[in-house]
Amino acid sequence: KADMEGALNVFVRVNSGGEPLSLSDMLMSTAIASWKIRDARREIYGLVEQIQARGFFVDKDLILKACLYLYSSDIRYKVSNFKAASVKPFEDNWDAIQASILAVVELVRDFGYNQTSLTSKNALLPIIYWVHHKGLSKSITSQVSLRSEREIVLRWLHTVLLKGIFGSAADTILAAIRKAFVGDEFGTLFIKPEIDRFPTEAIATIIRAQGKDPQVTEEFIDALLSTQYDEKQAFTILALLAPNLDYRNGKFHKDHLQPSSA
């Protein structure tokens, strides 16, 4: 409701006593009040702790955004997106949602990423969407037959991070990317049946239409070569240059991939 939306925004602006509350805090309260069986607060914060234990410092906002991305036609933080009917799929599918998020976190950790080198957590959401709606949470990290799928996802993640695709207007970009899986009508299907691989080409076409450039050109590569050792993108670039290392079982610091003196 518009009145409720306005009331929450006013409350956030004028609330100055005690611990500050953000709009997402208020929406979190709205969401968890609608869960009927599970203790939503404990479940969501428990998942946050599990992710943080794996070395990635996230908060409840990423979890709420992932739920919206998976099951809501509108992924923005709005009161109308957290009403009882809207959040019911979050609770109904919570076990699978949690498993999918953790599987993707494990996957990117296997790729060698950490809190510093994973420069956009939003880049995980299309991967989470794919893993969740294809039912890959138990297999994506290790199943031999999915090795090529992991390589496709890895290359895509490297590229969008290097290109800074999620640096601005993230909700707009994310909503557009989701159309690569489902088309314009979200909710009838979550993934079109003809899609059997993570749709990197379709995503690239959509990103281009949004005014972003996902293409890795010679000029872009030349620009990457000026990256300094202490910049956040350094790991991603070095990992691309050394793709055959076992990032899953070995923790490679940048100076393991390339001596800092060189």
Side-chain angles (χ1 to χ4, degrees), residues 77-118:
Y77 284 128
K78 295 174 59 180
V79 171
S80 58
N81 293 334
F82 288 93
K83 294 188 297 185
S86 302
V87 303
K88 188 176 186 299
F90 306 169
E91 183 178 19
D92 291 347
N93 297 283
W94 178 251
D95 287 338
I97 291 172
Q98 180 171 233
S100 299
I101 293 173
L102 288 174
V104 171
V105 169
E106 292 284 0
L107 183 66
V108 298
R109 191 172 70 162
D110 290 349
F111 291 162
Y113 280 99
N114 58 31
Q115 169 63 20
T116 301
S117 55
L118 184 65

Side-chain angles (χ1 to χ4, degrees), residues 38 71 79 83 90 102 107 111 128 133 156 171 186 202 204 220 222 232:
R38 299 176 185 268
Y71 286 105
V79 171
K83 294 188 297 185
F90 306 169
L102 288 174
L107 183 66
F111 291 162
I128 291 169
H133 287 303
W156 180 82
D171 279 355
F186 179 82
F220 179 67
D222 286 343
K232 286 185 175 182

Side-chain angles (χ1 to χ4, degrees), residues 68-75 129 173-183 186 190 206:
L68 289 171
Y69 201 63
L70 292 171
Y71 286 105
S72 176
S73 58
D74 187 343
I75 67 171
Y129 187 92
I173 295 294
L174 284 167
I177 286 175
R178 195 169 62 176
K179 293 181 180 181
F181 301 100
V182 75
F186 179 82
F190 290 113
I206 287 169

Side-chain angles (χ1 to χ4, degrees), residues 13 55 86 92 119 129 135 152 161 169:
R13 287 198 302 271
S86 302
D92 291 347
T119 52
Y129 187 92
I152 290 169
L161 292 178

Side-chain angles (χ1 to χ4, degrees), residues 140-158:
I140 189 62
T141 60
S142 58
Q143 190 167 306
V144 174
S145 63
L146 291 176
R147 180 178 178 179
S148 63
E149 187 71 13
R150 287 191 289 275
E151 291 173 351
I152 290 169
V153 171
L154 170 61
R155 190 171 186 84
W156 180 82
L157 181 61
H158 279 333

